[in-house]
Amino acid sequence: MRIDIITVLPELMESPLGHSIIKRACNKGLVEIHVHNLRDYTDDNRRTVDDYPFGGEAGMVMKIEPIWRCINKLKEERHYDEIIYTSPDGEQFNQQCANSLSLLENIIILCGHYKGVDYRVREHLITKEISIGDYVLSGGELAAAVITDSIVRIIPGAIGDESSALTDTFQDNLLAPPVYTRPAEFNGWKVPDVLLSGNFKEISLWQERTAIERTERLRPDLLKKR
Ligand code: ADE
């Protein structure tokens, strides 16, 4: 899979994408992530990527020309399955969305900034708009990092223990069961006996039961989607 991220703040993408599972997935050749500085696609000395909005509102708007040039250059090189724009008014991101994006070959993520992009970008160049939640971030970079992380970690081979991504919270519209590690007792707080029993059938039943109990208590809305 290949993910191209277009941003005015490329430095902001380095750390979230440079560690742990994502770094390993890149090193294993499971995913290629390319970050493009939108300013490299400007044609003026000041490398201008934004301008005042028509109509006189406050704030700045991302200009269409650099975005068009960058997306067009990438599209000349390969086919893209989705061209995503990160925005608080996009479709709400969730695990199902991450699952389907992880099956694609090539995607572009355009990070929104300022008051957003010239609306013609959304009308003519973007195929999907994603919000990571009902709150406003300073820019779309953190949203792009969240989306990229959630996609990459479920690409087969990205996580050492293959089964581990399948038991993630939300994969089944269920919260994950509690997990514990050594010591079996700390401060008098004990790990449930069943997990120490070695009886894998019992352990699996316990995990299923506690997953359902936690979901009923904390996220009953998820059970309706099952
Ligand atoms: N840009 C600013 N806020 C955002 C959000 N909640 N989701 C995606 N992109 C954003």
Side-chain angles (χ1 to χ4, degrees):
M1 178 177 200
R2 175 177 168 126
I3 304 176
D4 288 273
I5 300 174
I6 305 172
T7 168
V8 292
L9 289 174
E11 318 79 45
L12 197 54
M13 305 308 302
E14 274 166 30
S15 180
L17 304 179
H19 298 276
S20 179
I21 293 170
I22 302 206
K23 185 177 173 188
R24 248 183 292 134
C26 291
N27 290 344
K28 281 189 196 169
L30 298 172
V31 64
E32 270 180 49
I33 301 174
H34 298 267
V35 177
H36 306 273
N37 186 346
L38 192 58
R39 291 187 199 279
D40 293 341
Y41 296 85
T42 54
D43 61 359
D44 63 319
N45 288 343
R46 302 182 69 189
R47 298 174 28 105
T48 312
V49 289
D50 61 337
D51 205 340
Y52 295 99
F54 282 124
E57 269 189 57
M60 300 297 271
V61 175
M62 287 172 78
K63 289 167 70 60
I64 191 168
E65 302 99 311
I67 296 172
W68 187 84
R69 276 188 212 110
C70 183
I71 290 180
N72 246 26
K73 177 174 174 281
L74 292 171
K75 279 166 71 175
E76 276 166 17
E77 291 164 1
R78 67 196 62 74
H79 167 77
Y80 283 92
D81 305 298
E82 291 284 11
I83 303 180
I84 297 165
Y85 172 58
T86 55
S87 171
D89 57 3
E91 166 193 337
Q92 177 109 21
F93 192 60
N94 59 24
Q95 188 63 50
Q96 276 70 42
C97 186
N99 292 349
S100 42
L101 291 176
S102 78
L103 300 174
L104 303 180
E105 204 59 50
N106 301 312
I107 63 171
I108 293 174
I109 307 179
L110 169 66
C111 304
H113 240 274
Y114 314 113
K115 274 269 165 216
V117 287
D118 183 313
Y119 205 73
R120 288 167 291 186
V121 170
R122 299 172 72 162
E123 288 172 325
H124 300 289
L125 303 176
I126 296 299
T127 62
K128 197 177 190 60
E129 302 183 339
I130 296 181
S131 161
I132 61 161
D134 285 345
Y135 42 81
V136 180
L137 302 165
S138 314
E141 284 72 18
L142 296 179
V146 166
I147 294 165
T148 303
D149 187 292
S150 63
I151 292 172
V152 171
R153 68 189 301 287
I154 49 179
I155 295 175
I159 293 185
D161 174 3
E162 281 285 340
S163 65
S164 154
L166 298 176
T167 58
D168 281 346
T169 280
F170 298 124
Q171 271 304 4
D172 251 349
N173 280 317
L174 269 188
L175 302 187
V179 292
Y180 301 86
T181 186
R182 284 177 287 187
E185 184 173 343
F186 176 77
N187 267 355
W189 304 325
K190 288 187 175 163
V191 170
D193 287 338
V194 61
L195 295 180
L196 310 176
S197 69
N199 182 334
F200 293 107
K201 188 153 176 264
E202 284 298 312
I203 291 173
S204 162
L205 286 172
W206 178 89
Q207 286 171 331
E208 197 181 321
R209 184 168 51 74
T210 52
I212 292 171
E213 276 169 13
R214 291 191 73 236
T215 313
E216 278 170 347
R217 185 159 45 86
L218 301 168
R219 290 293 306 274
D221 56 302
L222 290 178
L223 291 172
K224 293 193 199 113
K225 295 189 196 160
R226 298 190 85 215

